[in-house]
Amino acid sequence: MSTQESVTVTVTGAGGQIGYALLFRIASGAMFGPKTPVRLRLLEIPAGLKSAEGSALELQDCAFTTLDSVEVTDNAAHAFAGTNVALLVGARPRGPGMERGDLMAANGAIFGPQGSAINAGAADDVRVLVVGNPANTNALIAAAHAPDVPAERFTAMTRLDHNRALAQLARTLDVPVASIGNVIIWGNHSATQVPDVSHGVLTASDGTRRPLPDALAEALGGSAKVAAWLDETFIPRVAKRGAEIIEVRGSSSAASAAAAAVDHVHDWILGTAGSWTSAAVLSDGSYGVPRGLISSFPVHSRDGAWEIQQGLSVGADVHARIDRSIKELEEERDMVKSLGLI
Ligand code: NAX
């Protein structure tokens, strides 16, 4: 896809709260740049159509020069026909008394048919980002129903976790977010995720680069203090930030999730320009993550494709954490397999 041609973007769950924060940023050019016209397709279930239609009216009223058209539908085949970018946001949340298996089955009933519809009608270059939880496994289900689409085009979002990690580090070190690089989120987008700063780099305003762990040691009073801070403060804060937002805001993260989805697709298509970020992508066996799982890795994007950053040394503590997160992903995969969803 050339970024000057128009792009068709399908957003599922478009009438929900992430949808409301996401649509306007896509339409305004934040995802593909100011020269790429966007055709939006908003997919909802019947109960969510009115809300999506309201957003479509407001999108008109913004008079965005980058917005070509907006269509609202509850028909998945129509929503995904010819789509270049599919943002699968709508999902079934865990209801009272719902077991993990019930949650997987309910989401399988959404992501299986959506995968099939993408397989049947999406553009040849379709790229899929799953935001709806459990995101990694929902992406696995959708990919399994799209045998004609290369599996590496199905990804899940851990960019919000990545951005949360950057923000916490910037606040702790009292430096601009842009000065921090090479932070990693490994594993599942869940409480077992592994925020990892061991390869992090801090770039000063004069261009001098230093390892993030050294900068943290200086700020916190020694490397023993850094280990305790990572263990007791940083990792739980990032991994449980979603719950913190719910507690303070009264509802789950929406604008920050939308911003992360914009970042993910923007970088996937336009490239990461020498830096890396985090995304849940198809494992090729790198870092001992079993092939075929969709797991978060350090990634960079070149020519419109994510590549896993290779050759990083992973310390024993981080590896043990990654193993726990991967075990959870394997359990989720085995569960959806036993339910016949993949
Ligand atoms: P909302 O409940 O506000 O909106 C979801 C929308 O999806 C609703 O309008 C609903 O009608 C629609 N929907 C349900 N089934 C659908 C289907 N089969 N086809 C089309 N639309 C359908 O939830 P919101 O706050 O927008 O969150 C959406 C999802 O994002 C949730 O699963 C949530 O857990 C997940 N999140 C993922 C994050 C990530 O980092 N990966 C972070 C934020 C968020 O928690």
Side-chain angles (χ1 to χ4, degrees):
M1 169 178 30
S2 140
T3 51
Q4 308 303 313
E5 293 163 9
S6 63
V7 181
T8 302
V9 183
T10 304
V11 180
T12 77
Q17 55 152 2
I18 294 177
Y20 191 69
L22 180 58
L23 296 171
F24 298 87
R25 299 217 47 219
I26 302 171
S28 70
M31 192 172 258
F32 306 101
K35 292 192 177 147
T36 303
V38 176
R39 286 189 296 263
L40 277 175
R41 301 259 183 77
L42 316 188
L43 179 65
E44 260 294 347
I45 51 174
L49 279 175
K50 278 281 168 212
S51 171
E53 282 164 6
S55 296
L57 296 181
E58 283 202 80
L59 282 161
Q60 285 173 10
D61 295 348
C62 292
F64 289 126
T65 53
T66 37
L67 184 60
D68 215 49
S69 61
V70 186
E71 284 177 74
V72 181
T73 180
D74 61 358
N75 180 316
H78 179 70
F80 292 114
T83 202
N84 304 107
V85 174
L87 302 171
L88 308 188
V89 179
R92 178 76 192 272
R94 187 182 289 221
M98 218 173 173
E99 299 291 332
R100 209 147 77 123
D102 302 332
L103 181 73
M104 297 289 173
N107 279 293
I110 295 174
F111 288 86
Q114 289 183 356
S116 301
I118 288 168
N119 195 58
D124 286 348
D125 67 352
V126 66
R127 292 175 176 83
V128 183
L129 170 62
V130 176
V131 174
N133 283 318
N136 300 51
T137 298
N138 287 340
L140 198 66
I141 294 170
H145 287 76
D148 303 328
V149 179
E152 56 273 14
R153 303 270 195 77
F154 285 82
T155 64
M157 191 166 92
T158 52
R159 185 62 173 261
L160 178 55
D161 310 301
H162 182 95
N163 288 348
R164 285 167 170 166
L166 292 180
Q168 290 302 321
L169 290 162
R171 285 173 65 89
T172 301
L173 294 170
D174 195 18
V175 296
V177 170
S179 67
I180 299 172
N182 298 0
V183 168
I184 306 167
I185 304 292
W186 302 92
N188 199 3
H189 168 69
S190 75
T192 69
Q193 67 177 261
V194 188
D196 174 14
V197 303
S198 55
H199 297 277
V201 174
L202 180 65
T203 306
S205 52
D206 65 0
T208 325
R209 286 161 65 89
R210 61 194 293 227
L212 202 52
D214 293 357
L216 284 168
E218 194 179 293
L220 299 170
S223 40
K225 293 245 169 66
V226 175
W229 179 78
L230 291 173
D231 218 38
E232 292 157 21
T233 305
F234 174 71
I235 294 175
R237 187 104 199 252
V238 172
K240 295 181 189 157
R241 183 69 162 183
E244 185 183 343
I245 300 290
I246 291 173
E247 204 180 302
V248 177
R249 189 178 172 256
S251 52
S252 55
S253 320
S256 53
V262 169
D263 289 346
H264 178 115
V265 175
H266 175 276
D267 288 359
W268 192 356
I269 289 173
L270 298 174
T272 41
S275 66
W276 80 57
T277 182
S278 303
V281 299
L282 183 74
S283 177
D284 58 0
S286 295
Y287 300 101
V289 178
R291 268 173 199 278
L293 285 180
I294 293 184
S295 174
S296 190
F297 286 99
V299 291
H300 58 268
S301 167
R302 199 169 24 205
D303 300 330
W306 287 121
E307 293 173 6
I308 296 170
Q309 194 76 25
Q310 294 297 331
L312 302 175
S313 59
V314 178
D317 175 55
V318 172
H319 227 302
R321 289 176 192 271
I322 295 175
D323 288 346
R324 279 198 290 279
S325 197
I326 295 309
K327 187 163 172 285
E328 182 182 58
L329 280 175
E330 289 181 305
E331 286 168 6
E332 289 183 12
R333 179 202 56 200
D334 293 346
M335 187 174 281
V336 295
K337 209 178 237 174
S338 72
L339 290 167
L341 299 172
I342 59 171

